[in-house]
Amino acid sequence: MEDGEFSMELDMAVRVVHLACALCRRVQEGLVSADNAQVMTKDDDSPVTIADWSVQATVSWILSEYFGSKNVSIVAEEDVQTLSKPDSRTLLSAVVKTVNECLAEAQRYGLQCPPSELGTSEILEAISRCNSTGGPTGRHWVLDPVDGTLGFVRGDQYAVALALIENGEVVLGVLGCPNYPLKKECFDYHYKAATPKSSQPCSDTFEKGCVIYARRSYGGAWMRPLVHGDEKLEWPNSASLVRVSSIDDPALATFCEPVEKRNSNHSFTAGLAHSVGLRKQPLRVYSMVKYAAIARGDAEIFMKFARTGYREKIWDHAAGVIIVEAAGGVVTDAGGRPLDFSRGIYLEGLDRGIIVCSGPILHEKIIGAVYASWDSSSL
Ligand SMILES: *[C@@H]1O[C@H](CO)[C@@H](O)[C@H](O)[C@H]1NC(C)=O
Ligand SMILES: *[C@@H]1O[C@H](CO)[C@@H](O)[C@H](O)[C@H]1NC(C)=O
Ligand SMILES: *[C@@H]1O[C@H](CO)[C@@H](O)[C@H](O)[C@H]1NC(C)=O
């Protein structure tokens, strides 16, 4: 990694997200091969809850060790209340075990292990330290420990997202996508079913899992495969530049959107898609992997129109936005304005929805369509 503004912070963030992805994979494998049953049943959401809290504790512990616990501000999704309740004891002990197993591997990622296993109180403290509310001044780390909980539970797409905001502006972002295929053909295969099944280009063992990252004024967005087996993270070895797609004809463009209707109005986006001449079926993908898909050039458009009154949170977007912009894309609200990360944990002032495009031509068309269709809609 070359020197420069935030290079040390980016280095830490990339390592810690790799470690967090390894943690999630381990918990997810436990879910799939559920022989270590008691907490890991498929019908409750405890596995994802364990992963959520464990990632938050791990990231918080590492950042605090490194930057000083008094001097690190972390904004993150989970609060400690539920976990501290008496009936959460089983959950809490699973979190303590998961965090310690994960930290024992930290050296493989070039990170520091604790001198001895962390106790329950240290882990609760690491989680509760992530109570910052961000704001317009100072440095704030922003973490979504497991974005896309349904995707996680279903063995589908999910992401670990970490970003750093300084004086209201995102200065670096790292997205870990443990189930994202490394090859575009495999993503296409899974989501677009464009390839005939008989040719089987992407078996169950196809290579998947990557970390994508960008830093302000560094030049481009970069991707690195997750490490496998006993491999050590040699970083930035094996990183490659990613770039948005050059397609700007709507007829050839692919758009993605949230899977769940309650996160975005599918009939509204279908109307927009039709009016700008998008022909393909939307790809419905869980989590911030949608931002990764735009940055990697696997799709051209991502639209999201949540129901009235829903407030978007900064941790669901910060890392994705800087990565897509660094890869050459455009991200705004539906009024064409940049997202504002300076106003606390919510994207206050967001105009209707979020539009992410591979380039200005598609972006302009969609913004135009939003204006044209707004009167006739009661979103
Ligand atoms: C605290 O962090 C700031 C950057 O946000 C840094 O400039 C300062 O040196 C740090 N202070 C300590 C005591 O580590
Ligand atoms: C966050 O929690 C710490 C204790 O872990 C406390 O000292 C601090 O005041 C809290 N900050 C906010 C903004 O609630
Ligand atoms: C979704 O958008 C359509 C317009 O395309 C609107 O009629 C409908 O009420 C919206 N649904 C919700 C839940 O906001």
Side-chain angles (χ1 to χ4, degrees):
M1 176 96 266
E2 70 187 49
D3 291 341
E5 215 189 5
F6 306 112
S7 60
M8 194 231 325
E9 287 79 6
L10 180 67
D11 180 72
M12 283 300 292
V14 169
R15 293 178 190 282
V16 85
V17 169
H18 272 274
L19 181 65
C21 288
L23 185 161
C24 290
R25 277 186 155 172
R26 185 177 299 190
V27 175
Q28 204 182 39
E29 277 159 21
L31 175 65
V32 172
S33 68
D35 30 308
N36 50 346
Q38 85 285 23
V39 272
M40 308 240 175
T41 57
K42 272 204 176 176
D43 355 312
D44 72 32
D45 57 1
S46 51
V48 70
T49 314
I50 292 169
D52 254 328
W53 269 309
S54 302
V55 167
Q56 185 164 317
T58 302
V59 172
S60 168
W61 190 84
I62 288 175
L63 293 180
S64 303
E65 281 296 298
Y66 202 80
F67 296 106
S69 60
K70 300 270 180 299
N71 198 30
V72 66
S73 161
I74 307 174
V75 187
E77 181 155 28
E78 303 304 327
D79 74 50
V80 83
Q81 259 66 340
T82 332
L83 200 54
S84 314
K85 285 184 194 146
D87 59 1
S88 300
R89 266 208 306 270
T90 324
L91 197 58
L92 180 56
S93 60
V95 169
V96 171
K97 180 168 173 279
T98 307
V99 171
N100 280 309
E101 279 171 8
C102 171
L103 285 172
E105 300 264 284
Q107 274 164 357
R108 260 179 66 195
Y109 300 88
L111 295 165
Q112 201 186 331
C113 289
S116 59
E117 290 209 341
L118 299 184
T120 305
S121 61
E122 286 166 287
I123 285 174
L124 284 174
E125 196 193 308
I127 294 173
S128 62
R129 208 179 287 139
C130 306
N131 62 352
S132 164
T133 51
T137 55
R139 278 189 188 188
H140 309 284
W141 291 93
V142 180
L143 171 70
D144 194 343
V146 178
D147 181 49
T149 51
L150 258 184
F152 181 90
V153 172
R154 295 179 178 172
D156 202 316
Q157 298 302 329
Y158 67 97
V160 175
L162 182 63
L164 180 62
I165 291 179
E166 187 181 63
N167 299 332
E169 206 192 309
V170 186
V171 295
L172 69 84
V174 184
L175 263 185
C177 309
N179 282 339
Y180 198 136
L182 293 180
K183 288 199 226 135
K184 180 180 193 310
E185 307 85 87
C186 298
F187 185 72
D188 288 2
Y189 176 70
H190 189 61
Y191 283 99
K192 301 181 189 168
T195 327
K197 298 252 182 218
S198 58
S199 66
Q200 290 290 348
C202 304
S203 67
D204 282 343
T205 56
F206 65 79
E207 253 197 299
K208 58 185 183 177
C210 60
V211 169
I212 306 189
Y213 54 92
R215 151 162 83 87
R216 187 171 70 188
S217 60
Y218 176 53
W222 295 75
M223 176 172 83
R224 173 142 192 350
L226 288 181
V227 296
H228 289 273
D230 295 332
E231 194 191 341
K232 267 184 84 170
L233 175 64
E234 304 287 352
W235 190 77
N237 288 1
S238 313
S240 52
L241 204 55
V242 294
R243 178 105 204 123
V244 291
S245 150
S246 57
I247 290 174
D248 58 11
D249 175 358
L252 302 175
T254 297
F255 100 81
C256 39
E257 63 180 347
V259 178
E260 291 170 89
K261 279 208 180 88
R262 71 188 161 87
N263 291 340
S264 185
N265 185 330
H266 289 169
S267 60
F268 185 69
T269 51
L272 288 181
H274 179 77
S275 68
V276 299
L278 293 171
R279 299 228 184 95
K280 299 187 184 174
Q281 286 297 308
L283 299 186
R284 301 217 166 115
V285 182
Y286 291 107
S287 83
M288 286 168 90
V289 163
K290 293 184 280 294
Y291 280 103
I294 305 295
R296 281 183 25 165
D298 295 344
E300 284 74 30
I301 299 164
F302 158 30
M303 297 189 268
K304 174 171 198 246
F305 289 86
R307 64 180 184 276
T308 316
Y310 178 81
R311 295 159 87 200
E312 298 283 352
K313 286 141 201 123
I314 56 174
W315 54 72
D316 285 329
H317 301 281
V321 170
I322 188 171
I323 288 167
V324 165
E325 288 176 346
V330 186
V331 185
T332 66
D333 65 17
R337 284 193 306 264
L339 310 190
D340 182 355
F341 290 95
S342 74
R343 296 170 61 186
I345 66 171
Y346 297 104
L347 290 174
E348 300 289 358
L350 186 80
D351 184 356
R352 295 166 288 184
I354 292 172
I355 314 269
V356 182
C357 288
S358 54
I361 295 177
L362 288 171
H363 183 258
E364 212 168 281
K365 288 192 167 133
I366 297 203
I367 298 281
V370 171
Y371 272 103
S373 66
W374 201 256
D375 292 344
S376 57
S377 127
S378 53
L379 190 71

